[in-house]
């Protein structure tokens, strides 16, 4: 396996999310926030840390399977003076999630409550939204983000994903799933293609970095070139402009 640089070197968030949209989501979440905010599948917890910085009376727990991402999150928390309010746990949300939290963040992590990604099933929106609704009290806010179809899915768009047209729903369908789970929407956002282009560039930058720093006949070079080419084809000839990303600020009712 070639050793690639970690995603956090080229990405601020492990999701297509501009600084401007992040500011709007963070200020909606942080408004009057006290108690504990749980970030499930937090990655390196950039969003959670921004919410905690904006909500001085709140505490956070962030959980992710990726121990390296959690370690980087701890470094960020310490550098920002947030270590005493941010508990970052390397582990499975299904084992580590507290029973209650005053607010929650769940970005790109609905699969926690669904079948394993390898089974290529439709995304488990309803299960995720139901679990998040059980976590927070009436009035509690949840920042929920996940993939949607931004345009009618094509076979070329779906092929490099789960290979099925029903993997995702549309934005209006997602909002109704959130309402059915016991939320009302406070804000509804959809990532732009520009946010996606920036995300994909950061996502694939590790291949470019590797190829720029290793000789062309290195034993891993073919594999890195092929992985980079597969990802380029998947995006530019596949799901660009079709796979979208929704961000919903939801209030439990
Ligand atoms: C698309 S990334 C999003 C990361 C982060 N929320 C962000 O927006 O930057 C999804 C994350 O969910 C994590 N994840 C998936 N299943 C998990 C589980 N059962 N328990 C904890 N983390 C999980 C993955 O490790 C990954 O970091």
């Amino acid at each position: 396996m070639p050793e690639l640089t970690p995603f956090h070197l080229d990405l601020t968030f492990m999701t297509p999310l501009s600084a401007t949209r992040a500011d709007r989501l963070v200020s909606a979440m942080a408004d009057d926030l006290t108690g504990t905010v749980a970030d499930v599948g937090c990655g390196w917890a950039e969003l959670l840390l921004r919410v905690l910085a904006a909500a001085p009376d709140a505490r956070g727990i962030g959980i992710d399977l990726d121990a390296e991402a959690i370690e980087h999150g701890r470094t960020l928390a310490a550098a920002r003076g947030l270590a005493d309010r941010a508990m970052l746990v390397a582990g499975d949300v299904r084992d580590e999630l507290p029973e209650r939290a005053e607010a929650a963040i769940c970005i790109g992590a609905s699969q926690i409550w669904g079948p394993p990604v390898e089974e290529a099933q439709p995304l488990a929106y309803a299960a995720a939204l139901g679990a998040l609704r059980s976590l927070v009290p009436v009035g509690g806010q949840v920042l929920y983000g996940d993939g949607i179809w931004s345009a009618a899915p094509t076979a070329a768009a779906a092929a490099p994903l789960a290979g099925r047209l029903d993997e995702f729903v549309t934005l209006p369908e997602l909002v109704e799933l959130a309402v059915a789970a016991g939320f009302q929407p406070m804000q509804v956002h959809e990532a732009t293609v520009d946010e996606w282009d920036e995300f994909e560039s950061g996502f694939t930058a590790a291949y470019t970095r590797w190829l720029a720093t290793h000789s062309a006949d290195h034993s891993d070079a073919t594999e890195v070139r092929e992985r980079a080419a597969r990802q380029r084809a998947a995006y530019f000839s596949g799901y660009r402009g079709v796979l979208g990303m929704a961000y919903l600020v939801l209030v439990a009712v």
Side-chain angles (χ1 to χ4, degrees):
M1 274 293 269
E3 194 156 322
L4 299 169
T5 49
F7 289 121
H8 62 73
L9 206 63
D10 293 290
L11 287 168
T12 307
F13 305 99
M14 188 63 182
T15 186
L17 179 60
S18 66
T20 309
R21 192 183 312 286
D23 284 351
R24 287 160 65 195
L25 296 172
V26 165
S27 81
M29 283 301 287
D31 197 24
D32 285 337
L33 181 64
T34 56
T36 298
V37 51
D39 189 339
V40 296
C42 64
W44 51 90
E46 182 63 44
L47 256 182
L48 176 63
L49 295 178
R50 290 185 187 205
V51 168
L52 294 179
D57 296 326
R59 309 180 64 76
I61 173 168
I63 307 161
D64 203 288
L65 289 171
D66 183 340
E68 193 182 334
I70 288 290
E71 201 45 54
H72 181 56
R74 288 183 185 139
T75 306
L76 295 176
R80 298 177 200 179
L82 295 169
D84 57 333
R85 290 195 289 128
M87 184 165 89
L88 300 182
V89 180
D92 194 316
V93 166
R94 290 166 296 190
D95 304 326
E96 305 289 348
L97 188 62
E99 270 182 25
R100 293 298 267 179
E102 277 63 46
I105 302 171
C106 175
I107 304 292
S110 302
Q111 75 270 18
I112 290 169
W113 293 280
V117 174
E118 309 77 63
E119 289 185 17
Q121 292 297 304
L123 194 59
Y125 303 100
L129 287 162
L132 292 163
R133 179 62 191 83
S134 309
L135 183 65
V136 299
V138 170
Q141 296 211 109
V142 171
L143 171 52
Y144 176 78
D146 223 318
I148 51 168
W149 293 129
S150 285
T154 58
L161 304 167
R164 53 191 303 156
L165 303 186
D166 62 353
E167 181 178 7
F168 302 106
V169 297
T170 63
L171 184 62
E173 289 167 340
L174 179 59
V175 174
E176 292 314 314
L177 285 172
V179 170
F183 292 107
Q184 284 292 314
M186 186 70 100
Q187 288 193 18
V188 175
H189 296 238
E190 181 174 352
T192 62
V193 171
D194 186 50
E195 285 168 292
W196 271 100
D197 286 348
E198 191 173 346
F199 174 62
E200 286 285 334
S201 300
F203 190 75
T204 53
Y207 302 130
T208 306
R209 286 181 187 283
W210 193 96
L211 291 166
T213 51
H214 294 76
S215 88
D217 53 10
H218 186 286
S219 57
D220 288 330
T222 304
E223 184 186 338
V224 176
R225 271 195 298 272
E226 283 175 1
R227 282 169 64 178
R230 262 201 310 277
Q231 187 58 34
R232 273 200 308 279
Y235 183 58
F236 291 111
S237 307
Y239 58 79
R240 182 175 187 270
V242 180
L243 177 62
M245 184 74 192
Y247 299 100
L248 310 181
V249 179
L250 301 168
V251 181
V253 293

